[in-house]
Amino acid sequence: MAFMKWIDDFGVGVEEIDHQHKDLINMINELFDAMSVGQANDVLGEIINNLIRYAVIHFDTEEGYFDQFDYEFSEDHKEEHRKFKEDVGKFKEGFETGNIVLSMEVFKFLKNWLINHIIGEDQKYKECFRENGLQ
Ligand code: FEO
């Protein structure tokens, strides 16, 4: 059974962004599966790097539309993205230096952050993006 599943409530009405959110969920599942079968740290490290790179691409996508559409909650939303990148960056550093291990706590953090962010912040731009013709 997958660690995280897509549900329709995550949808923001924009195909490109829903696709990116699904990819992020798949990447967290890939990391979870790799940890579950005891993959080596270099394999896990590569998946973590891919996940971070993809999260940055995704945040840049959303933020590009915020700027384009002059989205009113842009600054608060960008701050959530910034904090997540900082937290995950610290985790990555700790993992690479052997000071932090990949644990259920880490997965719970990733899962809860993504769910809360998509259901909370991301849903707020739905109307703005729709009004600007994005779908
Ligand atoms: Fe979909 Fe704001 O991240």
Side-chain angles (χ1 to χ4, degrees), residues 9-134:
D9 286 350
F10 292 161
V12 296
V14 180
E15 204 178 324
E16 177 190 21
I17 293 175
D18 285 346
H19 185 80
Q20 290 180 344
H21 285 152
K22 285 175 186 168
D23 282 344
L24 285 169
I25 289 171
N26 288 339
M27 292 172 97
I28 291 172
N29 284 332
E30 184 191 0
L31 185 59
F32 184 81
D33 290 344
M35 182 196 73
S36 302
V37 298
Q39 285 282 9
N41 274 2
D42 57 344
V43 175
L44 298 175
E46 195 179 321
I47 301 172
I48 292 168
N49 281 332
N50 288 339
L51 177 60
I52 293 173
R53 269 196 293 270
Y54 196 76
V56 170
I57 290 170
H58 169 61
F59 294 158
D60 285 350
T61 302
E62 288 183 352
E63 291 178 18
Y65 290 128
F66 296 165
D67 295 343
Q68 197 179 327
F69 304 146
D70 202 17
Y71 174 54
E72 66 174 317
F73 302 117
S74 170
E75 288 314 310
D76 288 348
H77 199 134
K78 284 179 181 176
E79 178 56 23
E80 278 207 13
H81 290 169
R82 191 200 61 73
K83 182 74 173 60
F84 179 79
K85 284 187 277 189
E86 186 182 289
D87 289 346
V88 177
K90 279 185 198 156
F91 165 72
K92 174 183 173 279
E93 208 178 290
F95 180 79
E96 284 172 351
T97 54
N99 293 321
I100 298 177
V101 292
L102 200 49
S103 64
M104 272 314 288
E105 290 309 306
V106 174
F107 281 100
K108 278 184 200 157
F109 167 78
L110 288 172
K111 183 178 183 173
N112 289 338
W113 189 89
L114 196 59
I115 290 173
N116 290 333
H117 185 78
I118 293 175
I119 296 284
E121 282 307 306
D122 286 354
Q123 293 298 321
K124 289 186 195 166
Y125 60 59
K126 214 169 165 176
E127 194 61 20
C128 167
F129 283 13
R130 193 186 58 76
E131 281 170 6
N132 281 282
L134 204 62

Side-chain angles (χ1 to χ4, degrees), residues 1-8 10 25-26 29 111 115:
M1 199 177 105
F3 175 70
M4 260 192 100
K5 274 192 184 150
W6 169 268
I7 56 167
D8 288 342
F10 292 161
I25 289 171
N26 288 339
N29 284 332
K111 183 178 183 173
I115 290 173

